[in-house]
mmCIF file of all heavy atoms in Angstrom:
data_model
loop_
_atom_site.group_PDB
_atom_site.id
_atom_site.type_symbol
_atom_site.label_atom_id
_atom_site.label_comp_id
_atom_site.label_asym_id
_atom_site.label_seq_id
_atom_site.Cartn_x
_atom_site.Cartn_y
_atom_site.Cartn_z
ATOM 1 N N GLY A 222 8.994 -13.076 -23.372
ATOM 2 C CA GLY A 222 9.406 -12.308 -24.542
ATOM 3 C C GLY A 222 9.292 -13.076 -25.844
ATOM 4 O O GLY A 222 9.853 -12.669 -26.865
ATOM 5 N N LEU A 223 8.550 -14.206 -25.834
ATOM 6 C CA LEU A 223 8.373 -14.965 -27.069
ATOM 7 C C LEU A 223 7.438 -14.243 -28.027
ATOM 8 O O LEU A 223 7.531 -14.393 -29.247
ATOM 9 C CB LEU A 223 7.806 -16.362 -26.762
ATOM 10 C CG LEU A 223 8.658 -17.262 -25.860
ATOM 11 C CD1 LEU A 223 7.978 -18.610 -25.666
ATOM 12 C CD2 LEU A 223 10.052 -17.440 -26.434
ATOM 13 N N VAL A 224 6.513 -13.478 -27.468
ATOM 14 C CA VAL A 224 5.571 -12.697 -28.275
ATOM 15 C C VAL A 224 5.805 -11.225 -27.987
ATOM 16 O O VAL A 224 5.823 -10.804 -26.831
ATOM 17 C CB VAL A 224 4.104 -13.062 -27.957
ATOM 18 C CG1 VAL A 224 3.153 -12.233 -28.803
ATOM 19 C CG2 VAL A 224 3.868 -14.550 -28.194
ATOM 20 N N ARG A 225 5.971 -10.462 -29.039
ATOM 21 C CA ARG A 225 6.234 -9.033 -28.898
ATOM 22 C C ARG A 225 5.137 -8.234 -29.590
ATOM 23 O O ARG A 225 4.398 -8.782 -30.430
ATOM 24 C CB ARG A 225 7.594 -8.694 -29.506
ATOM 25 C CG ARG A 225 8.752 -9.352 -28.787
ATOM 26 C CD ARG A 225 10.053 -9.143 -29.520
ATOM 27 N NE ARG A 225 10.049 -9.777 -30.841
ATOM 28 C CZ ARG A 225 11.117 -9.878 -31.607
ATOM 29 N NH1 ARG A 225 12.259 -9.375 -31.209
ATOM 30 N NH2 ARG A 225 11.043 -10.469 -32.782
ATOM 31 N N PRO A 226 5.003 -6.949 -29.268
ATOM 32 C CA PRO A 226 3.986 -6.128 -29.933
ATOM 33 C C PRO A 226 4.163 -6.137 -31.444
ATOM 34 O O PRO A 226 5.288 -6.107 -31.955
ATOM 35 C CB PRO A 226 4.230 -4.730 -29.335
ATOM 36 C CG PRO A 226 4.891 -4.986 -28.026
ATOM 37 C CD PRO A 226 5.749 -6.196 -28.225
ATOM 38 N N ILE A 227 3.059 -6.205 -32.154
ATOM 39 C CA ILE A 227 3.075 -6.192 -33.617
ATOM 40 C C ILE A 227 2.969 -4.754 -34.104
ATOM 41 O O ILE A 227 2.150 -3.973 -33.602
ATOM 42 C CB ILE A 227 1.908 -7.038 -34.168
ATOM 43 C CG1 ILE A 227 2.102 -8.505 -33.779
ATOM 44 C CG2 ILE A 227 1.808 -6.911 -35.691
ATOM 45 C CD1 ILE A 227 0.909 -9.390 -34.085
ATOM 46 N N ASP A 228 3.792 -4.396 -35.059
ATOM 47 C CA ASP A 228 3.787 -3.048 -35.617
ATOM 48 C C ASP A 228 2.526 -2.866 -36.465
ATOM 49 O O ASP A 228 2.392 -3.485 -37.531
ATOM 50 C CB ASP A 228 5.032 -2.846 -36.484
ATOM 51 C CG ASP A 228 5.152 -1.426 -37.019
ATOM 52 O OD1 ASP A 228 4.201 -0.640 -36.839
ATOM 53 O OD2 ASP A 228 6.187 -1.114 -37.643
ATOM 54 N N PRO A 229 1.580 -2.019 -36.024
ATOM 55 C CA PRO A 229 0.326 -1.870 -36.762
ATOM 56 C C PRO A 229 0.484 -1.130 -38.089
ATOM 57 O O PRO A 229 -0.418 -1.167 -38.932
ATOM 58 C CB PRO A 229 -0.557 -1.074 -35.792
ATOM 59 C CG PRO A 229 0.417 -0.282 -34.981
ATOM 60 C CD PRO A 229 1.626 -1.163 -34.823
ATOM 61 N N ASP A 230 1.624 -0.476 -38.270
ATOM 62 C CA ASP A 230 1.834 0.304 -39.499
ATOM 63 C C ASP A 230 2.585 -0.477 -40.569
ATOM 64 O O ASP A 230 2.653 -0.028 -41.720
ATOM 65 C CB ASP A 230 2.615 1.590 -39.178
ATOM 66 C CG ASP A 230 1.850 2.501 -38.227
ATOM 67 O OD1 ASP A 230 0.616 2.591 -38.372
ATOM 68 O OD2 ASP A 230 2.485 3.095 -37.340
ATOM 69 N N LYS A 231 3.122 -1.629 -40.215
ATOM 70 C CA LYS A 231 3.889 -2.405 -41.192
ATOM 71 C C LYS A 231 2.949 -3.190 -42.094
ATOM 72 O O LYS A 231 2.009 -3.829 -41.617
ATOM 73 C CB LYS A 231 4.853 -3.356 -40.490
ATOM 74 C CG LYS A 231 5.729 -4.150 -41.457
ATOM 75 C CD LYS A 231 6.821 -4.917 -40.746
ATOM 76 C CE LYS A 231 7.704 -5.672 -41.727
ATOM 77 N NZ LYS A 231 8.826 -6.373 -41.069
ATOM 78 N N LEU A 232 3.195 -3.145 -43.386
ATOM 79 C CA LEU A 232 2.407 -3.907 -44.351
ATOM 80 C C LEU A 232 3.254 -5.083 -44.843
ATOM 81 O O LEU A 232 4.241 -4.894 -45.550
ATOM 82 C CB LEU A 232 1.990 -3.027 -45.534
ATOM 83 C CG LEU A 232 1.154 -3.719 -46.631
ATOM 84 C CD1 LEU A 232 -0.173 -4.213 -46.068
ATOM 85 C CD2 LEU A 232 0.919 -2.757 -47.800
ATOM 86 N N TYR A 233 2.874 -6.300 -44.445
ATOM 87 C CA TYR A 233 3.595 -7.493 -44.852
ATOM 88 C C TYR A 233 3.135 -7.940 -46.237
ATOM 89 O O TYR A 233 2.003 -7.690 -46.644
ATOM 90 C CB TYR A 233 3.355 -8.635 -43.857
ATOM 91 C CG TYR A 233 3.871 -8.367 -42.467
ATOM 92 C CD1 TYR A 233 3.067 -7.740 -41.517
ATOM 93 C CD2 TYR A 233 5.154 -8.745 -42.097
ATOM 94 C CE1 TYR A 233 3.540 -7.489 -40.238
ATOM 95 C CE2 TYR A 233 5.633 -8.509 -40.814
ATOM 96 C CZ TYR A 233 4.819 -7.873 -39.899
ATOM 97 O OH TYR A 233 5.293 -7.626 -38.626
ATOM 98 N N ASP A 234 4.027 -8.624 -46.921
ATOM 99 C CA ASP A 234 3.616 -9.226 -48.188
ATOM 100 C C ASP A 234 2.645 -10.375 -47.946
ATOM 101 O O ASP A 234 1.712 -10.576 -48.719
ATOM 102 C CB ASP A 234 4.838 -9.734 -48.970
ATOM 103 C CG ASP A 234 5.701 -8.610 -49.498
ATOM 104 O OD1 ASP A 234 5.141 -7.593 -49.943
ATOM 105 O OD2 ASP A 234 6.940 -8.742 -49.455
ATOM 106 N N VAL A 235 2.876 -11.126 -46.878
ATOM 107 C CA VAL A 235 2.005 -12.270 -46.597
ATOM 108 C C VAL A 235 1.926 -12.515 -45.093
ATOM 109 O O VAL A 235 2.916 -12.403 -44.376
ATOM 110 C CB VAL A 235 2.506 -13.542 -47.320
ATOM 111 C CG1 VAL A 235 3.940 -13.891 -46.910
ATOM 112 C CG2 VAL A 235 1.574 -14.718 -47.072
ATOM 113 N N ALA A 236 0.721 -12.820 -44.643
ATOM 114 C CA ALA A 236 0.494 -13.278 -43.279
ATOM 115 C C ALA A 236 0.122 -14.752 -43.362
ATOM 116 O O ALA A 236 -0.790 -15.128 -44.109
ATOM 117 C CB ALA A 236 -0.619 -12.486 -42.607
ATOM 118 N N ILE A 237 0.832 -15.586 -42.607
ATOM 119 C CA ILE A 237 0.614 -17.031 -42.639
ATOM 120 C C ILE A 237 -0.016 -17.447 -41.312
ATOM 121 O O ILE A 237 0.561 -17.223 -40.246
ATOM 122 C CB ILE A 237 1.941 -17.781 -42.854
ATOM 123 C CG1 ILE A 237 2.586 -17.331 -44.169
ATOM 124 C CG2 ILE A 237 1.734 -19.289 -42.848
ATOM 125 C CD1 ILE A 237 4.023 -17.789 -44.348
ATOM 126 N N VAL A 238 -1.204 -18.018 -41.373
ATOM 127 C CA VAL A 238 -1.927 -18.430 -40.171
ATOM 128 C C VAL A 238 -1.729 -19.924 -39.987
ATOM 129 O O VAL A 238 -2.285 -20.735 -40.721
ATOM 130 C CB VAL A 238 -3.424 -18.087 -40.281
ATOM 131 C CG1 VAL A 238 -4.147 -18.495 -38.997
ATOM 132 C CG2 VAL A 238 -3.627 -16.609 -40.554
ATOM 133 N N GLY A 239 -0.900 -20.280 -39.007
ATOM 134 C CA GLY A 239 -0.589 -21.680 -38.751
ATOM 135 C C GLY A 239 0.892 -21.954 -38.927
ATOM 136 O O GLY A 239 1.480 -21.573 -39.941
ATOM 137 N N ALA A 240 1.493 -22.627 -37.938
ATOM 138 C CA ALA A 240 2.945 -22.873 -37.964
ATOM 139 C C ALA A 240 3.258 -24.354 -37.946
ATOM 140 O O ALA A 240 4.212 -24.789 -37.311
ATOM 141 C CB ALA A 240 3.622 -22.171 -36.789
ATOM 142 N N GLY A 241 2.452 -25.143 -38.670
ATOM 143 C CA GLY A 241 2.775 -26.546 -38.873
ATOM 144 C C GLY A 241 3.727 -26.676 -40.048
ATOM 145 O O GLY A 241 4.313 -25.693 -40.510
ATOM 146 N N PRO A 242 3.905 -27.888 -40.577
ATOM 147 C CA PRO A 242 4.848 -28.088 -41.686
ATOM 148 C C PRO A 242 4.536 -27.215 -42.899
ATOM 149 O O PRO A 242 5.444 -26.652 -43.506
ATOM 150 C CB PRO A 242 4.683 -29.580 -42.021
ATOM 151 C CG PRO A 242 4.168 -30.195 -40.771
ATOM 152 C CD PRO A 242 3.320 -29.161 -40.125
ATOM 153 N N ALA A 243 3.253 -27.089 -43.253
ATOM 154 C CA ALA A 243 2.887 -26.276 -44.419
ATOM 155 C C ALA A 243 3.187 -24.801 -44.182
ATOM 156 O O ALA A 243 3.801 -24.134 -45.018
ATOM 157 C CB ALA A 243 1.405 -26.474 -44.755
ATOM 158 N N GLY A 244 2.759 -24.282 -43.028
ATOM 159 C CA GLY A 244 2.969 -22.871 -42.743
ATOM 160 C C GLY A 244 4.437 -22.510 -42.611
ATOM 161 O O GLY A 244 4.883 -21.471 -43.119
ATOM 162 N N LEU A 245 5.216 -23.372 -41.947
ATOM 163 C CA LEU A 245 6.644 -23.087 -41.803
ATOM 164 C C LEU A 245 7.367 -23.188 -43.139
ATOM 165 O O LEU A 245 8.291 -22.407 -43.405
ATOM 166 C CB LEU A 245 7.272 -24.037 -40.780
ATOM 167 C CG LEU A 245 6.871 -23.805 -39.322
ATOM 168 C CD1 LEU A 245 7.504 -24.852 -38.416
ATOM 169 C CD2 LEU A 245 7.263 -22.391 -38.857
#
Side-chain angles (χ1 to χ4, degrees):
L223 300 181
V224 180
R225 296 172 296 189
I227 296 171
D228 184 353
D230 298 322
K231 183 171 181 177
L232 180 63
Y233 296 89
D234 290 321
V235 58
I237 301 168
V238 181
L245 290 177

